[in-house]
Amino acid sequence: MRYIIIGAGAIGGTVGGRLAEAGQEVVLVARGAHRTALAEAGLRLRVPEGELTHRLPVVSGPDELGALRADDVLVLAVKTQDSEAALQAWGPAPVAGGGTAAERLPLVCAQNGVESPRLALRRFRHVYAVCVWLPSTHTEPGVVSAAGTPLTGILHLGRYPHGVDDTARRIAADLEKAHFEAPVVPDVARWQHAKLLSNLGNALEAVSGTVADPSAEALFDRIRAEGAAVLDAAGIAYTGTEEQRAARGDKVTLVPLDGAPRGGGSSWQSLSRGAGSIEADYLNGEIALLGRLHGVPTPLNELLQRLANEFARERKAPGSLPLPELIRLADAAVGAVQAD
């Protein structure tokens, strides 16, 4: 199978580079300065064994590839706020032998949050979702870093909304040759919702810095508890902490990489690159949406959603809101709900 990585950033670049290293045929899809750097100098993938350069085909969209192949796998790895545009572009793309990508090809959503597979299912017949546990960084055009060892990441994979099939097993087998563990599970959404709860801290990290001291950890615990209460009220299943810990063990240990300091997670990286957009609407905003649907107040997640979007829109520096000020705002938001 040929893997077309739609969004060759932190997740997509790492998956694409590792698959290429394992002998798979890979095409990268990127835009702007990142695409230029990939085309001119190749993908520079910094991993514990050193910096690897992969010179791979790079395109900005399906028109540059001509007809897709019947053995292509589309890997959607853009941020969720960019999913709709990508699905619109790739869904109608013709496939050799007849039909379109949306009709014939598997689409694998390798993203944070839970919304993209649902968006994809409106257009694509064969949608697969991935719970991505892959510590990686992309802040410089042409360069992606992934500090995990002995595995680069763990990617729970299954059909969306549920089930397994031979295509999922074949994709998982390729991933497992490429420094990943890829369990094929019939209930991938359960794993994704658990990951959603942990990703609720992305906005906290983006606006006020790494969740490292006890006061930041305590605030994150409150944010996550609010999210868990919403999922419980909505009747949405998610894997528990012990099940996640058992699945991960010590399989992915972060090590320092030469020339690649890890500043923060995906939302922090969006601010660091000055991308102008951020994924908070599909992380904290997912909890806010479900809270409104099921009558559960979500003041902390609403606050973080608003602040993260403000930071992205105004291109503020990541981590520039002092943590004591964020805690004050959080306490005020909760107090306003309680007094209402």
Side-chain angles (χ1 to χ4, degrees):
M1 296 188 290
R2 180 175 68 168
Y3 289 87
I4 299 177
I5 310 295
I6 304 170
I11 292 172
T14 301
V15 171
R18 284 304 205 184
L19 283 170
E21 181 187 353
Q24 296 296 323
E25 191 174 357
V26 174
V27 175
L28 302 178
V29 182
R31 298 176 298 178
H34 188 44
R35 184 208 172 174
T36 300
L38 292 172
E40 292 180 351
L43 171 65
R44 295 165 57 197
L45 180 60
R46 292 170 175 163
V47 289
E49 55 266 40
E51 182 172 295
L52 311 175
T53 300
H54 299 285
R55 294 191 173 273
L56 303 169
V58 185
V59 300
S60 61
D63 292 346
E64 296 177 38
L65 277 178
L68 296 168
R69 296 178 356 196
D71 65 344
D72 281 339
V73 175
L74 305 182
V75 179
L76 187 64
V78 298
K79 295 290 197 305
T80 302
Q81 64 267 27
D82 298 319
S83 289
E84 187 65 26
L87 293 167
Q88 287 179 4
W90 287 88
V95 178
T100 65
E103 294 167 335
R104 295 186 57 192
L105 299 184
L107 178 82
V108 180
C109 297
Q111 301 158 285
N112 287 334
V114 297
E115 180 65 11
S116 274
R118 188 170 180 271
L119 292 173
L121 208 58
R122 293 178 183 273
R123 291 188 172 84
F124 282 77
R125 292 178 182 170
H126 310 290
V127 177
Y128 299 80
V130 179
C131 174
V132 179
W133 197 61
L134 169 53
S136 55
T137 304
H138 166 55
T139 57
E140 176 185 349
V143 182
V144 173
S145 302
T149 187
L151 293 177
T152 299
I154 299 175
L155 308 173
H156 285 77
L157 168 70
R159 280 194 72 99
Y160 184 82
H162 48 72
V164 300
D165 62 14
D166 286 342
T167 297
R169 295 185 186 96
R170 290 174 62 198
I171 294 169
D174 287 344
L175 290 169
E176 294 203 340
K177 296 173 187 174
H179 295 266
F180 297 102
E181 184 172 287
V184 178
V185 295
D187 56 351
V188 66
R190 193 169 67 96
W191 290 89
Q192 286 186 300
H193 279 93
K195 180 69 171 4
L196 171 66
L197 291 178
S198 66
N199 284 144
L200 297 179
N202 287 23
L204 166 59
E205 180 185 59
V207 302
S208 288
T210 304
V211 182
D213 66 51
S215 57
E217 291 176 357
L219 178 57
F220 171 66
D221 287 345
R222 294 166 62 193
I223 295 162
R224 187 189 184 283
E226 189 178 89
V230 166
L231 295 186
D232 292 342
I236 295 174
Y238 52 94
T239 53
T241 303
E242 290 305 318
E243 186 175 1
Q244 294 177 67
R245 185 177 294 121
R248 293 171 180 171
D250 57 358
K251 300 170 186 175
V252 183
T253 300
L254 300 186
V255 298
L257 299 179
D258 291 341
R262 178 170 170 79
S266 55
S267 296
W268 185 95
Q269 293 169 43
S270 292
L271 294 181
S272 180
R273 294 196 305 272
S277 68
I278 201 165
E279 61 194 335
D281 284 347
Y282 300 98
L283 300 177
N284 308 92
E286 179 72 21
I287 296 303
L289 168 62
L290 289 171
R292 291 165 189 150
L293 289 173
H294 297 278
V296 179
T298 59
L300 296 176
N301 281 279
E302 291 177 33
L303 171 67
L304 282 172
Q305 179 186 8
R306 176 177 63 79
L307 289 173
N309 280 317
E310 176 187 304
F311 267 58
R313 184 173 58 252
E314 298 179 8
R315 288 178 165 78
K316 294 182 178 180
S320 56
L321 179 65
L323 181 62
E325 175 62 11
L326 178 59
I327 293 172
R328 185 192 68 77
L329 291 172
D331 290 340
V334 171
V337 168
Q338 291 172 342
D340 190 0

